[in-house]
Amino acid sequence: MAFVPAPGYQPTFNPTLPYSNRIPGGLSVGMSIYIQGEVNEHTRRFHVNFAMGPEPEADIAFHFNPRFDGWDKVVFNSRQSGKWNEEEKKRSMPFKRGEHFELVVMIMQEHYKVMVNGDPFYEFGHRIPIQAVTHLQVDGELMLQAINFMGGNSAPNQMPVVCPAYPGPGVDPQPPVSLPSMEAPPVFNPPVPFTGRLQGGLMTRRTIIIKGFIPPSAQRFAINFKVGLTGEVALHINPRLDERSVVRNSLQNGDWGSEERDISYNPFAPGQFFDLSIRAGTDRFKVFANGRHMFDFSHRLSAYHTVDILEITGDVTLSYVQM
């Protein structure tokens, strides 16, 4: 069964390095780029570039460069006409060797906003119009788990990001193609327990994206698709780290049904990130994790479209929820 990305959500799982791929639709204000992976034990440097082409020598609108060199720091810069501009730096290292990380770059109207492991880290002002950026480049001593491009749909009348001091690369960049929007704005780093309302109910082909992290001491957590009026649960997803299982069930008229435990792939392990895509079909839920099919769950509630609450509880840290 093929993985079908949700609109406005373009993931790449387990990419190899060096990574240099075109950004789907180009950059636009409101887009977020998630990079998840692990810093090697002996890492000295790695970098993330928002580049104006696929070549290593392409100009760079934003260069993000952590350096483990005894004076641990992160360097920020841009490169125009093959020459580096004035660098900015922060003598603080949010990454740790041998540990997993989540790097998020949010495209804002005036700057790139960088978050590491859920915490704001730096804002780098636009020196080059984001419309000139075509590729994301990542390289260095890393192991990557996922790169996710999220959002990116600009309204037709949205004003472009203008950098008057930028003379231009010599050619007009190809205009970005807008990615389709999802049902509601995403929620970043929400607290747990989390409760969100599915506006309009659980319509067929609606996809919910949940990105999170399993703490090392985690035992269990739960994801529930509920009918707010009755409290019934159309789908209960219950990863049990202590049992190495993922239990699924439903709650009708106050009674739990029969559990389902068979699974083709279990992504949940202590100290690991996960990326869930839960899609409502006409006769079942289709659930993918990290781009791989995990399970299907046939609808037990005939009126599954009355589900209007997403509830997440237990031992989990959330970084992104899109409903």
Side-chain angles (χ1 to χ4, degrees), residues 183 196-210 223-228 232-237 277-287 297-311 322-323:
E183 293 294 334
R197 182 167 294 278
L198 296 165
Q199 297 294 338
L202 193 63
M203 298 170 289
T204 301
R205 292 190 292 183
R206 186 167 188 171
T207 300
I208 287 81
I209 304 297
I210 302 172
I223 300 169
N224 295 319
F225 288 83
K226 299 177 65 174
V227 180
E232 292 184 308
V233 178
L235 172 60
H236 169 73
I237 305 173
S277 173
I278 305 167
R279 190 175 180 87
T282 56
D283 60 351
R284 71 192 68 186
F285 290 94
K286 299 177 181 180
V287 181
F297 187 84
S298 297
H299 292 311
R300 298 179 182 179
L301 270 64
S302 57
Y304 70 89
H305 57 275
T306 60
V307 168
D308 58 355
I309 297 293
L310 172 65
E311 178 184 80
Q322 174 72 75
M323 296 180 290

Side-chain angles (χ1 to χ4, degrees), residues 156-174:
N157 61 351
Q158 179 180 322
M159 295 296 293
V161 176
V162 178
C163 303
Y166 177 60
V171 295
D172 292 331
Q174 185 175 6

